[in-house]
């Protein structure tokens, strides 16, 4: 067992974990944050994507011990004081989800993309989301949602 | 709130989204129960082997392991083998399919033992310690080797690997072919596909031993059907079972089944008296969840010299896999009425032979039989066009069934409503067809590296399964009806209980729109309940693009019954005759006396207090309706794929994808577009990327998402969508299914486009998936042939 200390969605946690425990399972089974989904065993699908110190990572590829001292954000931490993040609003308005299973990963990956590139093109979004698989939407409405969220976030930033 | 606002056809946003967008979805994988134990399966690494013995000692002694069971250990648990509900012929061969194998394994992934442990990790670790003494036998994995002389037999008790042969004939086919000027014969293959719902399968079972009750949470599309079949398989009284499909993360047919893991967790919960849980790994799911397609097809068209088709013959071989899952044998037959597509003619013959192989069983995957049929006829009509020197658009026009209602197809069915030419014309206009042909000619003339291809698919499909009598005539084991209960609560909200079981299709939203309009209440005041057999006792669930056209119509009709009763109660309270009332926007008004009115919610409250009801009326404002449709629905449309083909690398890129669909009246345009997007994406995936491949010994070579290419956003084009609207006459809402149309239509449009793009080299053949290697080789062969 290894002791780790990390912040998840703004809450500080300390825990003893097995060295082999993946971050995804730690979040789901130890912290009860089941919004992070597990869709594969080869780090292919991206359903488990979270933010680690602001960068999107597949939490099935990271060990919980690697998150020691880090700041983790999951889908449960996206909304602030009950107000949805612009990416959540955009996925809703543009029908960027159907069954919703890939959605947490898509949202977190999209937030990661927009933090690095606030004004991406359609093609840039498609390539940046290459590691996140969706079987329902054909991706078009996901791309449209990310474009809309980018615009929303840019105009909010300009206004503030 | 009573409202005159209309929602059907409008742009309301989905009610399903808020929980799913915030991580509050309730997927089976997230359910934990006190005392729950974890189940893992030891699976065969061989395509075919005899089990000479199993030593479970080491596994049983591993940390955290509570029990290990072999197939023999569990033999007494079963009242019946895993169910197959579609015995398509009298003489079909049905092998026993035990959830855990007993004496032999017949595909890689066949379960041989089950480990129960305190944690999932411990169970999975212990699986590796199960020691099976296998006597490896020769395997057959593809249709042709399985039918060769002397082929190893998948099931020793049968004298060949053939499972059944089903035939269907309409008209005098030989006569049609005898008088033809032109006969073409084409051969196609349908690759095996892995459905890949992003949520892996999972099951949790909670027993209440003293009561003998069981609650099963399953990632299923069919909780009601599952309840019946779990009862029959495990020998548990049906009334003691409650099946819940909570949020389900996609299905596409792969969760339309009764799986070994579900019933095993059920009988283990009974045996051990504690809750059990199994969650599939993705790669485990690749061998343990059904696959789709895998056919060899031959299609012949007989036509006159102008290319007008007289007769059709289609003959297919369908890979069943090692066992028959729920509708394995019937799946190819769902295409058995569509090898003549949207076209006319005098006669039609279809035959299908199912073939056992040492592979994961096949079953329904999005479209189920209809993508295969549509692929064959849409490619064949292009071939006919080439044979008579007619453009792909013109050859289709010459052969379309006429516009009308209950139009007789050569396949022997009457299509509900047709208007194919209007739809094609609209697509051709949107496309700018002539300009594209000019650009294609220009690129050819200058020998451009990137050549242009234009491919059409003018599909029709049959869905909205289905009239129960018709299903009965096909030996299908269930009815095709669906049910709805609608009740207006005393506080004014309308509760809609549906028999459909959505897993991404947005039924909560669409059914709310339907009920809000029919009852005159606001969209927000409608609550839709589904997916729990205790909440919704009657249902036939969600598959075959049936939900709106059957279950949605049941909601519409149940609302009508509620309004009828409300009218009688309102008339009583307003002291007029029922026919003296107008109902508009949720309010009953006495004709000509606008100040005398009452809302449907006021009526609901009065019905609840029951202080003053008309004589003979029961308290409460509720109605139940079961809709059994008189016919399938037959949506249709034109899909056009424009490809750019790199002549040096063989890479195919989709430059444009245009889909003009006709699914009758539309309840929610955004949801319909989303269904088309996702459906088309799966067809494009089949055409260009996906193929499950087996080695000769039965090993699944495409064993994970690393080597089976599920396309990402980077591989998908932008879709251009439009619609024509030809209301169905199969239901009072005029709606048709749209869940599978995109998948059914798209693969042939893509491949026709690739063939068209290479046609100047004399290319007429292309096999799915059209990978760069395959396209490059085709180009080289064509150039070599020309030199």
């Amino acid at each position: 067992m290894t002791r780790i200390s990390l912040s998840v969605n703004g809450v500080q946690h300390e825990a003893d974990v097995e060295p082999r425990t993946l971050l995804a399972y730690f979040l789901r089974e130890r912290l009860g944050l089941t919004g992070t989904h597990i869709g594969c065993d080869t780090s292919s699908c991206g359903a488990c994507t979270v933010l680690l110190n602001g960068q999107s990572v597949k939490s099935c590829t990271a060990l919980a011990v690697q998150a020691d001292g880090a700041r983790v954000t999951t889908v449960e931490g996206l909304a602030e004081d009950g107000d949805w993040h612009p990416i959540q609003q955009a996925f809703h308005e543009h029908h960027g989800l159907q069954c919703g299973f890939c959605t947490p990963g898509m949202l977190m990956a999209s937030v990661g993309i927009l933090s690095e590139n606030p004004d991406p093109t359609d093609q840039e979004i498609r390539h940046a989301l290459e590691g996140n698989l969706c079987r329902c939407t054909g991706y078009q409405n996901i791309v449209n949602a990310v474009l809309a969220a980018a615009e929303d976030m840019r105009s909010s930033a300009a206004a503030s | 709130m009573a409202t005159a606002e209309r929602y059907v056809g409008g742009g309301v946003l989905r009610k399903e989204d808020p929980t799913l967008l915030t991580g509050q979805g309730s997927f089976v994988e997230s359910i934990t129960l006190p005392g729950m134990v974890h189940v893992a399966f030891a699976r065969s690494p061989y395509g075919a082997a005899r089990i000479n013995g199993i030593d479970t000692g080491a596994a049983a002694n591993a940390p955290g392991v509570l029990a290990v069971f072999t197939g023999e250990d569990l033999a007494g648990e079963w009242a019946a083998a895993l169910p197959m509900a579609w015995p398509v012929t009298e003489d079909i061969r049905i092998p026993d399919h035990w959830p855990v194998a007993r004496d032999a394994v017949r595909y890689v992934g066949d379960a041989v033992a089950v480990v129960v442990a305190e944690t999932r990790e411990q169970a999975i670790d212990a699986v590796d310690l199960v020691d099976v003494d296998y006597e490896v036998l020769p395997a057959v994995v593809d249709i042709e080797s399985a039918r060769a002389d002397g082929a190893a037999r998948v099931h020793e008790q049968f004298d060949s690997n053939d499972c059944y042969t089903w035939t269907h004939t309409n008209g005098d086919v030989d006569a049609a072919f005898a008088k033809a000027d032109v006969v073409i014969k084409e051969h196609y293959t349908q690759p095996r596909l892995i459905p890949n719902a992003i949520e892996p399968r999972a099951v949790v079972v909670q027993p209440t031993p003293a009561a003998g009750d069981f609650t099963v949470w399953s990632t299923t599309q069919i909780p009601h059907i599952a309840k019946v079949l779990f009862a029959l398989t495990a020998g548990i009284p049906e009334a003691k079972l409650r099946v819940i499909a909570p949020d389900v993360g996609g299905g596409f047919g792969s969760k339309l089944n009764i799986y070994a893991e579900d019933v095993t967790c059920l009988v283990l919960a009974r045996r051990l008296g504690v809750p059990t849980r199994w969650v599939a790994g993705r790669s485990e799911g690749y061998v343990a969840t059904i696959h789709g397609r895998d056919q060899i097809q031959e299609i012949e068209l007989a036509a006159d010299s102008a290319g007008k088709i007289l007769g059709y013959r289609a003959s297919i071989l369908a890979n069943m896999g090692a066992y028959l899952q729920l509708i394995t044998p019937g799946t190819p037959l769902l295409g058995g009425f569509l090898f003549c597509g949207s076209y006319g003619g005098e006669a039609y013959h279809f035959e299908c032979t199912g073939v056992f192989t040492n592979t994961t069983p096949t079953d329904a995957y999005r479209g189920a039989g209809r993508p295969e049929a549509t692929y064959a006829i849409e490619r064949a009509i292009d071939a006919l066009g080439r044979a008579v020197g007619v453009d792909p658009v013109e050859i289709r026009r010459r052969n379309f069934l006429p516009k009308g209602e209950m139009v007789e197809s050569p396949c022997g069915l009457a299509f509900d409503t047709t208007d194919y030419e209007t739809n094609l014309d609209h697509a051709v206009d949107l496309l700018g067809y002539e300009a594209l042909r000019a650009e294609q000619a220009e690129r050819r003339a200058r020998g451009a590296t990137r050549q242009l291809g234009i491919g059409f698919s003018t599909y029709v499909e049959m869905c909205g399964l289905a009239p129960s009598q018709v299903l009965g005539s096909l030996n299908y084991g269930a009815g095709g009806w669906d049910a709805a209960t609608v009740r207006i609560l005393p506080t004014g909200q309308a509760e809609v209980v549906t028999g459909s079981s959505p897993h991404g299709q947005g039924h909560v939203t669409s059914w709310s729109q339907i009920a809000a309009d029919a009852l005159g209440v606001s969209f927000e005041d409608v609550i839709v309940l589904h997916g729990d057999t205790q909440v919704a006792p009657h249902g036939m669930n969600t598959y075959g693009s049936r939900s709106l056209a059957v279950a949605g119509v049941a909601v519409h009709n149940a609302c009508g019954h509620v309004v009828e009763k409300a009218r009688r109660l309102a008339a009583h309270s307003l002291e007029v005759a029922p026919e003296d009332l107008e109902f508009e926007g949720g309010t009953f008004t006495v004709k000509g006396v606008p100040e005398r009115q009452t809302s449907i919610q006021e009526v609901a409250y009065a019905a609840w207090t029951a202080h003053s009801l008309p004589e003979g009326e029961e308290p409460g404002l509720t109605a139940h309706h079961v809709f059994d449709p008189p016919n399938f629905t037959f949506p249709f449309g034109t899909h056009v794929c424009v490809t750019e083909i790199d002549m040096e690398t063989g890479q195919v890129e989709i430059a444009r994808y245009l889909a003009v669909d006709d699914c009758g009246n539309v309840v929610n345009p955004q949801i319909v577009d989303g269904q088309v997007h996702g459906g088309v994406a799966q067809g494009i995936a089949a055409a260009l990327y996906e193929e499950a491949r087996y080695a000769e010994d039965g090993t699944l070579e495409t064993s994970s998402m690393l080597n089976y290419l599920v396309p990402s956003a980077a591989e998908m084009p932008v879709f251009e969508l439009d619609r024509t609207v030809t209301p169905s006459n199969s239901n009072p809402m005029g709606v048709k299914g749209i869940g599978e149309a995109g998948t059914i239509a798209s693969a042939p449009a893509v491949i026709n486009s690739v063939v068209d793009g290479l046609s100047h080299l004399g290319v007429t053949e292309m096999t799915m998936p059209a990978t760069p290697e395959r396209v490059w080789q085709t180009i080289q062969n064509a150039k070599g042939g020309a030199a």
Side-chain angles (χ1 to χ4, degrees), chain A residues 20 25 28 34-35 37-42 44-45 75-76 84 88 91-95 97-103 107 122 126-127 130 133-141, chain B residues 13-14 17-18 21-23 27 29-30 120-121 125 194-196 198-199 249-250 252 282-283 365 503-504 670 674-675 677-678 681-682 690 705 710-714 716 718-719:
Chain A
R20 74 167 176 173
Y25 288 91
R28 289 179 55 82
T34 53
H37 296 153
I38 296 167
C40 75
D41 42 22
T42 47
S44 307
C45 81
V75 67
E76 289 94 340
W84 281 1
Q88 291 169 307
F91 267 64
H92 183 47
E93 287 172 7
H94 292 269
H95 191 27
L97 67 158
Q98 290 182 27
C99 81
F101 193 82
C102 76
T103 307
L107 294 172
D122 180 293
R126 286 175 183 274
H127 284 285
E130 223 165 0
L133 299 178
C134 169
R135 198 60 158 171
C136 294
T137 64
Y139 302 104
Q140 182 145 321
N141 288 345
Chain B
L13 297 178
R14 293 207 323 169
D17 291 355
L21 284 166
T22 53
F27 293 91
E29 187 190 9
S30 303
R120 181 168 182 249
E121 290 74 17
D125 286 349
I194 299 178
N196 273 302
I198 299 296
E199 180 199 32
F252 317 111
R282 170 65 53 184
S283 304
Y365 168 52
H503 37 284
Q670 195 179 44
Q675 288 294 311
H677 289 167
Q682 284 180 29
E690 295 184 16
M705 276 185 164
V710 176
S712 76
M716 280 296 140
V718 173
F719 307 114

Side-chain angles (χ1 to χ4, degrees), chain B residues 23-218:
Chain B
Q24 296 171 42
S26 59
F27 293 91
V28 176
E29 187 190 9
S30 303
I31 295 168
T32 57
L33 299 171
M36 185 171 77
V37 298
H38 298 260
V39 175
F41 289 80
R43 299 183 183 279
S44 169
Y46 301 110
R50 214 178 324 276
I51 300 171
N52 287 331
I54 301 178
D55 181 351
T56 59
N61 289 323
V65 171
L66 303 165
V68 184
F69 301 101
T70 65
E72 286 298 335
D73 296 335
L74 295 176
E77 300 286 347
W78 310 117
L82 282 169
M84 190 281 286
W86 201 343
V88 295
T89 60
E90 292 297 319
D91 60 353
I92 183 173
R93 291 160 161 179
I94 306 171
D96 279 346
H97 184 189
W98 300 107
V100 182
R102 293 182 185 175
D103 51 349
V105 289
R106 295 186 173 85
Y107 68 98
V108 168
D110 216 349
V112 292
V114 53
V115 176
V116 183
E118 290 169 5
T119 71
R120 181 168 182 249
E121 290 74 17
Q122 288 168 336
I124 290 170
D125 286 349
V127 157
D128 290 339
L129 302 174
V130 174
D131 187 9
V132 185
D133 178 7
Y134 288 110
E135 180 185 339
V136 180
L137 302 170
V140 286
V141 298
D142 65 90
I143 293 168
E144 280 168 334
S145 354
R147 302 193 87 217
D149 286 343
R153 276 174 288 146
V154 177
H155 298 280
E156 283 177 10
Q157 70 270 36
F158 306 138
D159 66 7
S160 77
N161 287 317
D162 285 359
C163 172
Y164 69 88
T165 295
W166 189 87
T167 62
H168 166 67
T169 303
N170 188 46
D172 189 339
V173 181
D174 290 341
F177 274 76
K179 67 184 176 188
D181 299 314
V182 181
V183 172
I184 61 147
K185 183 190 280 194
E186 294 277 300
H187 297 90
Y188 307 121
T189 56
Q190 297 289 329
R192 178 176 281 246
L193 300 174
I194 299 178
N196 273 302
I198 299 296
E199 180 199 32
R201 288 199 294 115
V203 60
V204 172
V205 182
Q206 180 166 43
T208 309
D213 290 343
F214 299 87
T215 300
V216 182
W217 289 265
S218 175

